[in-house]
Amino acid sequence: MMRRLLVFGMLAGFFAGLLAFGFASITGEPQVDASIAIEEASAPPPAPGEHAEEEVVSRSTQKGLGLAVATGVYGVAIGGLFAIACALAYGRIGTGGMRPTAAVVAVTGFVAVAVVPFLKYPANPPAVGNPDTIDRRTGLYVVMVLVAVLAALIAAQVGRLVSARLGTWNAALAAAAVFVVLVSVAAVVMPVINEVPASFPAELLWRFRLASLGTQAVLWATLGLVFGPLAHRVLSPAPAPAREAGTAARAEETRAASQAPAPSAG
């Protein structure tokens, strides 16, 4: 069963990655092109006898095949992890079945993996950020993701512990409060990074960041909506006794008809 859930999660993730690719191509790539144009316009001309650097991968390939492969692989990986998370959460958060479980896990994953790190270290387009600090910025972003995921797990455990005494609704509020406190403390403690040039258009930066967050929203929403029904078919198959009873009844009718005496000729 777990293997089928994992396969369904990866399939849902692949489909989610395709939709995320379409959303990013429409909303995000125009902002990237505009940012690259600003970066090229502000770059100093090459010195005499010096040739401009050639692109290893063309821009058309980057925003076409490259982006599709990246979102597809990312979607498959996240889909597999999502399936495991849903399997672990199934039966522990409510009693509504896999569909609501997948929805809750999708919302939690979107908040922990996308929203919280975005609020602390939002995505930046080309021409924004110092190339020498990219490793440090990437490391801090990953740390923030791990902190948010750990905070979500701690909050969920707190909610389970107090649910019997406080009730489901109050336990959910308590879990949300614990999560907000933990990620807020982490956001205050972790270093601030602000490398946006003063001359960079604020509207372009805002549109790029919204497109980046929207791409994550499309991915997680699709995972929750697609994986839930697929997993429900694995966990709640058609009742075998009913099928067997129907087959037995039809067999009995056939046997009775064959044993009935033939009508005599008048």
Side-chain angles (χ1 to χ4, degrees), residues 12-13 16-17 19-20 74-75 77-79 81-83 85-86 102-115 141 145 149 212-227:
L19 292 184
Y74 178 76
I78 291 295
L81 296 176
F82 182 80
C86 287
V104 172
V105 173
V107 172
T108 304
F110 173 63
V111 172
V113 178
V115 175
Y141 181 86
V145 172
V149 172
S212 175
L213 187 61
T215 301
Q216 289 281 351
V218 170
L219 180 79
W220 285 98
T222 305
L223 273 176
L225 293 174
V226 174
F227 178 76

Side-chain angles (χ1 to χ4, degrees), residues 43-77:
E50 186 179 78
H51 298 286
E53 294 184 4
E54 295 184 359
E55 290 183 330
V56 178
V57 181
S58 66
R59 175 64 188 139
S60 60
T61 302
Q62 291 176 11
K63 63 182 181 181
L65 179 62
L67 180 61
V69 171
T71 53
V73 171
Y74 178 76
V76 169

Side-chain angles (χ1 to χ4, degrees), residues 80-121:
L81 296 176
F82 182 80
I84 296 174
C86 287
L88 294 176
Y90 183 65
R92 294 180 173 86
I93 50 174
T95 58
M98 181 54 81
R99 288 187 178 94
T101 299
V104 172
V105 173
V107 172
T108 304
F110 173 63
V111 172
V113 178
V115 175
V116 171
F118 174 86
L119 294 176
K120 179 62 179 180
Y121 302 115

Side-chain angles (χ1 to χ4, degrees), residues 196 198-208:
V196 180
S199 59
F200 193 85
E203 182 181 0
L204 176 59
L205 179 63
W206 178 243
R207 289 200 305 265
F208 176 84

Side-chain angles (χ1 to χ4, degrees), residues 145-162:
V145 172
L146 295 177
V147 168
V149 172
L150 180 61
L153 294 176
I154 294 174
Q157 187 64 25
V158 170
R160 289 188 61 197
L161 292 176
V162 302

